[in-house]
Amino acid sequence: MNLYIGSLILVTVLGAVLFHILWTRRAVPSFSIQDLVTAALFCSLLYIAILPFKFGLSRVPLIQSFFFSIPYTATLFIGIRLIPRAGTATLIICGHSLLAQTISSGINPLWWPYALLASFILELYFLATGNYLGSMKNALGAGFLRGLTVYLYFYCFSAPFIWHQFFAPWYIAVQTAQGIAGSMIGASLGLYLSKPIISATRYGGI
Amino acid sequence: MKYLDRETFLHHLDPRAKIVLGLLGAVMIVALRTPFGLFLLFAMLLGAFGLLRPARGTVRTTAVLMATALCFTMISQGFFYGLEPRTAILTIVAPDSGLLGRITGGIAIYREGLLYGALQSLRLFSAMLLSAVIVMSTYPSDLLLGMERLGVPGRIGFLVTVSIRFLPALIDEANRILLAQKLRGLDLKGVRGGFRACRYLLPPLIIDSLRNARRIALAAEVRAFTGKKTLVRELSFSLRDWLVLGFSTTGMVLLVMFQGAFS
């Protein structure tokens, strides 16, 4: 429980750092209704994109991280490419988490730090690089960071301190490596798929 | 799990009471450590699930999900149990058998780990039942209304409401696009087919949905939407809600306080 509270403090500190940077750069996120509706669309898309994997390959032990992170990262990154600015990652990741909790898994605050951490890490990365998935290198870096943070947090904090389940270090390493690989593949897929979508948005009269 | 249209005691509780009870239940799942405490929590939630009078199909699905969770938890904890004493009942990789043995420190199934996994499954079952009870007894819009009344910003509520509205339309549209792609000869079988489906489904689905999104945003903007809603239905927290909340909270606090006595 103490480590869970520790992780809450970590997330709060990350959030405070993020807010401070945005405040000093006068870039505190403000979303128009259109941005909010687009983010809402991506929250639903994330829910749908991972459904087949949630009940299929991702339930198979040892390979779940890999198969789960590909569609998730691809869809998330398309959303970020469509609204390339601070706050989008948080809006989509936390919105999807709330959506999934509202309609299927029940409101559970124990999962909130997980979603917030995944969002804040990406936001800080984008702020540090000054690039919102504008290049393949940036997308691969973001995918790597997402996989590393999310799976390490899950296997080192969530699993032992929330679900009281323990995993051997080699297993955590295997899962994290798979999560990183899956997220990087998802990132490149997202970047590849977002090109025709952005073209359609710009020139297709959407 | 989805909303179940019934007239039960749980359906009549205020969504805010259910959200608070859900939060307390989630904390209990973490805080309880004894087999007795975990079993009691599981039994209470199973009773609440029974009160909803779920359909036979829902009961079967829940049972299958629980059986899967039990199997996976027992197997994973059987492999990774680290406390002593532990008895290996099946050694798969011996610690001194080459590189794999050295990296992993040996892989074996431990009897104590299997038992620990079975006990920890009660935690997972409780989480599953807690979610099922809240989701099945509360209409999603009521849950969102409850969250807004508990302080969640209006714009976040709007985001989740719109996402819920998008879901059925997106599923319909996805099925239509997949059918069209299949008619064009796209093979969707196997893992490769799954990835191919992603590739050929996502761009047209997103482009089409963006068109809908623009229409919704325009409709909201021309009505000068600011995030604040004029509610048709107001929530009311009755004496029954206070009583349920009071009894449940007292019960949970007592259970945590006295769990040591039953260990």
PDB file of all heavy atoms in Angstrom, chain B residues 188-203:
ATOM      1  N   LEU B 188      -9.182 -12.471 -43.829  1.00  0.00           N
ATOM      2  CA  LEU B 188      -9.015 -11.974 -42.456  1.00  0.00           C
ATOM      3  C   LEU B 188      -8.725 -13.091 -41.459  1.00  0.00           C
ATOM      4  O   LEU B 188      -8.797 -12.889 -40.250  1.00  0.00           O
ATOM      5  CB  LEU B 188     -10.278 -11.218 -42.013  1.00  0.00           C
ATOM      6  CG  LEU B 188     -10.657 -10.008 -42.850  1.00  0.00           C
ATOM      7  CD1 LEU B 188     -11.969  -9.427 -42.376  1.00  0.00           C
ATOM      8  CD2 LEU B 188      -9.570  -8.961 -42.794  1.00  0.00           C
ATOM      9  N   LYS B 189      -8.401 -14.278 -41.971  1.00  0.00           N
ATOM     10  CA  LYS B 189      -8.182 -15.409 -41.051  1.00  0.00           C
ATOM     11  C   LYS B 189      -6.800 -15.337 -40.399  1.00  0.00           C
ATOM     12  O   LYS B 189      -5.847 -14.866 -41.017  1.00  0.00           O
ATOM     13  CB  LYS B 189      -8.319 -16.717 -41.824  1.00  0.00           C
ATOM     14  CG  LYS B 189      -9.773 -17.064 -42.119  1.00  0.00           C
ATOM     15  CD  LYS B 189      -9.863 -18.336 -42.915  1.00  0.00           C
ATOM     16  CE  LYS B 189     -11.283 -18.493 -43.467  1.00  0.00           C
ATOM     17  NZ  LYS B 189     -11.283 -19.133 -44.756  1.00  0.00           N
ATOM     18  N   GLY B 190      -6.732 -15.818 -39.169  1.00  0.00           N
ATOM     19  CA  GLY B 190      -5.450 -15.915 -38.462  1.00  0.00           C
ATOM     20  C   GLY B 190      -4.930 -14.579 -37.949  1.00  0.00           C
ATOM     21  O   GLY B 190      -5.585 -13.547 -38.081  1.00  0.00           O
ATOM     22  N   VAL B 191      -3.720 -14.644 -37.356  1.00  0.00           N
ATOM     23  CA  VAL B 191      -3.118 -13.445 -36.763  1.00  0.00           C
ATOM     24  C   VAL B 191      -2.785 -12.417 -37.851  1.00  0.00           C
ATOM     25  O   VAL B 191      -3.040 -11.219 -37.712  1.00  0.00           O
ATOM     26  CB  VAL B 191      -1.833 -13.837 -35.990  1.00  0.00           C
ATOM     27  CG1 VAL B 191      -1.161 -12.612 -35.407  1.00  0.00           C
ATOM     28  CG2 VAL B 191      -2.168 -14.820 -34.877  1.00  0.00           C
ATOM     29  N   ARG B 192      -2.245 -12.915 -38.991  1.00  0.00           N
ATOM     30  CA  ARG B 192      -1.901 -12.006 -40.096  1.00  0.00           C
ATOM     31  C   ARG B 192      -3.143 -11.303 -40.616  1.00  0.00           C
ATOM     32  O   ARG B 192      -3.126 -10.115 -40.920  1.00  0.00           O
ATOM     33  CB  ARG B 192      -1.251 -12.799 -41.227  1.00  0.00           C
ATOM     34  CG  ARG B 192       0.253 -12.676 -41.204  1.00  0.00           C
ATOM     35  CD  ARG B 192       0.855 -13.357 -42.395  1.00  0.00           C
ATOM     36  NE  ARG B 192       0.971 -12.476 -43.547  1.00  0.00           N
ATOM     37  CZ  ARG B 192       1.386 -12.879 -44.727  1.00  0.00           C
ATOM     38  NH1 ARG B 192       1.684 -14.142 -44.935  1.00  0.00           N
ATOM     39  NH2 ARG B 192       1.495 -12.036 -45.716  1.00  0.00           N
ATOM     40  N   GLY B 193      -4.233 -12.083 -40.682  1.00  0.00           N
ATOM     41  CA  GLY B 193      -5.510 -11.523 -41.141  1.00  0.00           C
ATOM     42  C   GLY B 193      -5.983 -10.423 -40.205  1.00  0.00           C
ATOM     43  O   GLY B 193      -6.520  -9.410 -40.649  1.00  0.00           O
ATOM     44  N   GLY B 194      -5.763 -10.631 -38.892  1.00  0.00           N
ATOM     45  CA  GLY B 194      -6.155  -9.636 -37.887  1.00  0.00           C
ATOM     46  C   GLY B 194      -5.429  -8.324 -38.111  1.00  0.00           C
ATOM     47  O   GLY B 194      -6.033  -7.251 -38.091  1.00  0.00           O
ATOM     48  N   PHE B 195      -4.103  -8.418 -38.356  1.00  0.00           N
ATOM     49  CA  PHE B 195      -3.320  -7.201 -38.594  1.00  0.00           C
ATOM     50  C   PHE B 195      -3.719  -6.545 -39.915  1.00  0.00           C
ATOM     51  O   PHE B 195      -3.768  -5.332 -40.033  1.00  0.00           O
ATOM     52  CB  PHE B 195      -1.823  -7.506 -38.569  1.00  0.00           C
ATOM     53  CG  PHE B 195      -1.325  -7.717 -37.170  1.00  0.00           C
ATOM     54  CD1 PHE B 195      -0.920  -8.964 -36.721  1.00  0.00           C
ATOM     55  CD2 PHE B 195      -1.302  -6.662 -36.276  1.00  0.00           C
ATOM     56  CE1 PHE B 195      -0.483  -9.159 -35.429  1.00  0.00           C
ATOM     57  CE2 PHE B 195      -0.863  -6.841 -34.969  1.00  0.00           C
ATOM     58  CZ  PHE B 195      -0.463  -8.093 -34.546  1.00  0.00           C
ATOM     59  N   ARG B 196      -4.005  -7.420 -40.919  1.00  0.00           N
ATOM     60  CA  ARG B 196      -4.421  -6.891 -42.214  1.00  0.00           C
ATOM     61  C   ARG B 196      -5.751  -6.147 -42.058  1.00  0.00           C
ATOM     62  O   ARG B 196      -5.954  -5.078 -42.633  1.00  0.00           O
ATOM     63  CB  ARG B 196      -4.575  -8.048 -43.211  1.00  0.00           C
ATOM     64  CG  ARG B 196      -4.153  -7.637 -44.604  1.00  0.00           C
ATOM     65  CD  ARG B 196      -4.233  -8.787 -45.567  1.00  0.00           C
ATOM     66  NE  ARG B 196      -3.184  -9.774 -45.380  1.00  0.00           N
ATOM     67  CZ  ARG B 196      -3.373 -11.095 -45.352  1.00  0.00           C
ATOM     68  NH1 ARG B 196      -4.585 -11.597 -45.479  1.00  0.00           N
ATOM     69  NH2 ARG B 196      -2.378 -11.915 -45.204  1.00  0.00           N
ATOM     70  N   ALA B 197      -6.652  -6.715 -41.214  1.00  0.00           N
ATOM     71  CA  ALA B 197      -7.949  -6.078 -40.980  1.00  0.00           C
ATOM     72  C   ALA B 197      -7.745  -4.693 -40.374  1.00  0.00           C
ATOM     73  O   ALA B 197      -8.386  -3.725 -40.779  1.00  0.00           O
ATOM     74  CB  ALA B 197      -8.788  -6.942 -40.041  1.00  0.00           C
ATOM     75  N   CYS B 198      -6.793  -4.595 -39.417  1.00  0.00           N
ATOM     76  CA  CYS B 198      -6.472  -3.305 -38.782  1.00  0.00           C
ATOM     77  C   CYS B 198      -6.060  -2.292 -39.843  1.00  0.00           C
ATOM     78  O   CYS B 198      -6.526  -1.162 -39.858  1.00  0.00           O
ATOM     79  CB  CYS B 198      -5.299  -3.489 -37.826  1.00  0.00           C
ATOM     80  SG  CYS B 198      -5.759  -3.512 -36.117  1.00  0.00           S
ATOM     81  N   ARG B 199      -5.184  -2.740 -40.726  1.00  0.00           N
ATOM     82  CA  ARG B 199      -4.621  -1.849 -41.740  1.00  0.00           C
ATOM     83  C   ARG B 199      -5.690  -1.343 -42.707  1.00  0.00           C
ATOM     84  O   ARG B 199      -5.694  -0.176 -43.089  1.00  0.00           O
ATOM     85  CB  ARG B 199      -3.536  -2.604 -42.503  1.00  0.00           C
ATOM     86  CG  ARG B 199      -2.725  -1.728 -43.389  1.00  0.00           C
ATOM     87  CD  ARG B 199      -1.718  -2.528 -44.165  1.00  0.00           C
ATOM     88  NE  ARG B 199      -1.408  -1.826 -45.407  1.00  0.00           N
ATOM     89  CZ  ARG B 199      -0.862  -2.394 -46.449  1.00  0.00           C
ATOM     90  NH1 ARG B 199      -0.585  -3.679 -46.426  1.00  0.00           N
ATOM     91  NH2 ARG B 199      -0.591  -1.690 -47.524  1.00  0.00           N
ATOM     92  N   TYR B 200      -6.594  -2.257 -43.099  1.00  0.00           N
ATOM     93  CA  TYR B 200      -7.598  -1.862 -44.079  1.00  0.00           C
ATOM     94  C   TYR B 200      -8.858  -1.291 -43.447  1.00  0.00           C
ATOM     95  O   TYR B 200      -9.717  -0.771 -44.134  1.00  0.00           O
ATOM     96  CB  TYR B 200      -7.968  -3.050 -44.986  1.00  0.00           C
ATOM     97  CG  TYR B 200      -6.858  -3.389 -45.939  1.00  0.00           C
ATOM     98  CD1 TYR B 200      -6.008  -4.468 -45.714  1.00  0.00           C
ATOM     99  CD2 TYR B 200      -6.634  -2.593 -47.072  1.00  0.00           C
ATOM    100  CE1 TYR B 200      -4.969  -4.761 -46.578  1.00  0.00           C
ATOM    101  CE2 TYR B 200      -5.594  -2.881 -47.937  1.00  0.00           C
ATOM    102  CZ  TYR B 200      -4.766  -3.963 -47.689  1.00  0.00           C
ATOM    103  OH  TYR B 200      -3.736  -4.228 -48.540  1.00  0.00           O
ATOM    104  N   LEU B 201      -8.964  -1.425 -42.140  1.00  0.00           N
ATOM    105  CA  LEU B 201     -10.173  -0.942 -41.464  1.00  0.00           C
ATOM    106  C   LEU B 201     -10.002   0.464 -40.900  1.00  0.00           C
ATOM    107  O   LEU B 201     -10.871   1.321 -41.071  1.00  0.00           O
ATOM    108  CB  LEU B 201     -10.539  -1.923 -40.330  1.00  0.00           C
ATOM    109  CG  LEU B 201     -11.652  -1.492 -39.387  1.00  0.00           C
ATOM    110  CD1 LEU B 201     -12.981  -1.515 -40.117  1.00  0.00           C
ATOM    111  CD2 LEU B 201     -11.721  -2.391 -38.180  1.00  0.00           C
ATOM    112  N   LEU B 202      -8.851   0.683 -40.212  1.00  0.00           N
ATOM    113  CA  LEU B 202      -8.687   1.930 -39.458  1.00  0.00           C
ATOM    114  C   LEU B 202      -8.824   3.216 -40.299  1.00  0.00           C
ATOM    115  O   LEU B 202      -9.633   4.073 -39.948  1.00  0.00           O
ATOM    116  CB  LEU B 202      -7.367   1.923 -38.687  1.00  0.00           C
ATOM    117  CG  LEU B 202      -7.420   1.296 -37.289  1.00  0.00           C
ATOM    118  CD1 LEU B 202      -6.053   1.313 -36.650  1.00  0.00           C
ATOM    119  CD2 LEU B 202      -8.408   2.010 -36.390  1.00  0.00           C
ATOM    120  N   PRO B 203      -8.056   3.357 -41.420  1.00  0.00           N
ATOM    121  CA  PRO B 203      -8.172   4.641 -42.143  1.00  0.00           C
ATOM    122  C   PRO B 203      -9.595   4.976 -42.608  1.00  0.00           C
ATOM    123  O   PRO B 203     -10.092   6.060 -42.280  1.00  0.00           O
ATOM    124  CB  PRO B 203      -7.199   4.492 -43.311  1.00  0.00           C
ATOM    125  CG  PRO B 203      -6.213   3.479 -42.838  1.00  0.00           C
ATOM    126  CD  PRO B 203      -6.993   2.530 -41.991  1.00  0.00           C
TER     127      PRO B 203
END
